[in-house]
Amino acid sequence: MLVRLIPILALLLACKPAQQSANTNAGKAALTAPAIVPRASWGALAPKPYKQHTPVRITVHHEGTQLLPTDDAARKINRIQAWGMGPDRNWADIPYHFLIAPNGTIYEGRAVTTVGETNTEYDPTGHLLICCLGNYEVQEVSAETLQSLIQLIAWCSRQYKIPAETLSTHKDNSKQTTCPGKNLYAYFSNGYVLDAVKKKLKGE
Ligand SMILES: [Zn+2]
């Protein structure tokens, strides 16, 4: 009797996790990879070699100069890269891993496995940097930007196995900046972005 029960028990035990796994996968299917405009589309220069890292936290910035939904974001990103790689900063590449335009378009930045850059005192090693183009001290956050930001954070969290709870903004890591601007920061300080990201990860 005992001998007969053991295979049945084993089967029951084996089935339960399998079902849970199937349900979890079904939920995760709701989180689709966002459309990301590749570097070639904004005329990126080839990066210089730079320090490698594994991102373990997600950190959000704004770019800091005003940009409207009707402005040419690709051209702006191209200029940011040219300035950063020029004599002013001599950076390896554009400082951020992803950039989001005010119309919600997501652009590919530097390689995620490369340490980002900063003008402030924090060490960006281990930070996956997402930059919202615009100045959110003065301009409002568009619904499209917020939607893309939430989807990108959730996707990066899953793609790079970074817990959503690591989410923060530049000013949370540095005393030298108001980045990402008070209008964008409000969505972080009240927990709105983290809640929305967690819901996306659960497939809600
Ligand atoms: Zn910043």
Side-chain angles (χ1 to χ4, degrees), residues 157-177:
S157 170
R158 198 174 73 184
Q159 184 76 2
Y160 303 110
K161 300 181 172 51
I162 304 171
E165 289 74 14
T166 66
L167 182 64
S168 70
T169 69
H170 190 173
K171 70 180 272 187
D172 299 317
N173 294 276
S174 167
K175 292 187 177 72
Q176 299 178 339
T177 185

Side-chain angles (χ1 to χ4, degrees), residues 122-142:
Y122 87 105
D123 178 2
T125 305
H127 292 249
L128 188 148
L129 306 180
I130 297 174
C131 176
C132 295
L133 294 167
N135 179 348
Y136 295 100
E137 276 295 307
V138 295
Q139 68 187 93
E140 294 298 325
V141 183
S142 70

Side-chain angles (χ1 to χ4, degrees), residues 61-62 96 170 177 179:
H61 298 255
H62 73 163
Y96 311 104
H170 190 173
T177 185
C179 175

Side-chain angles (χ1 to χ4, degrees), residues 62-129:
H62 73 163
E63 195 273 326
T65 58
Q66 199 158 2
L67 193 77
L68 301 174
T70 48
D71 291 338
D72 187 343
R75 191 170 172 196
K76 176 78 176 180
I77 295 168
N78 180 282
R79 284 179 178 174
I80 296 167
Q81 189 199 32
W83 168 79
M85 291 178 78
D88 271 355
R89 290 293 180 275
N90 202 25
W91 286 336
D93 198 345
I94 191 152
Y96 311 104
H97 299 108
F98 296 98
L99 302 99
I100 302 175
N103 68 5
T105 305
I106 301 171
Y107 293 86
E108 180 188 19
R110 72 167 54 200
V112 166
T113 52
T114 305
V115 179
E117 312 275 4
T118 181
N119 287 317
T120 60
E121 85 284 20
Y122 87 105
D123 178 2
T125 305
H127 292 249
L128 188 148
L129 306 180

Side-chain angles (χ1 to χ4, degrees), residues 5-6 10 12 23 32 34-35 94 107 136 141 150 166 183 190:
L5 270 175
I6 287 169
L12 284 172
N23 288 341
T32 52
I94 191 152
Y107 293 86
Y136 295 100
V141 183
I150 289 162
T166 66
N183 296 338
N190 69 8

Side-chain angles (χ1 to χ4, degrees), residues 8-27:
I8 296 166
L9 279 171
L11 188 67
L12 284 172
L13 288 170
C15 278
K16 201 170 180 191
Q19 278 174 352
Q20 280 177 343
S21 164
N23 288 341
T24 308
N25 285 339

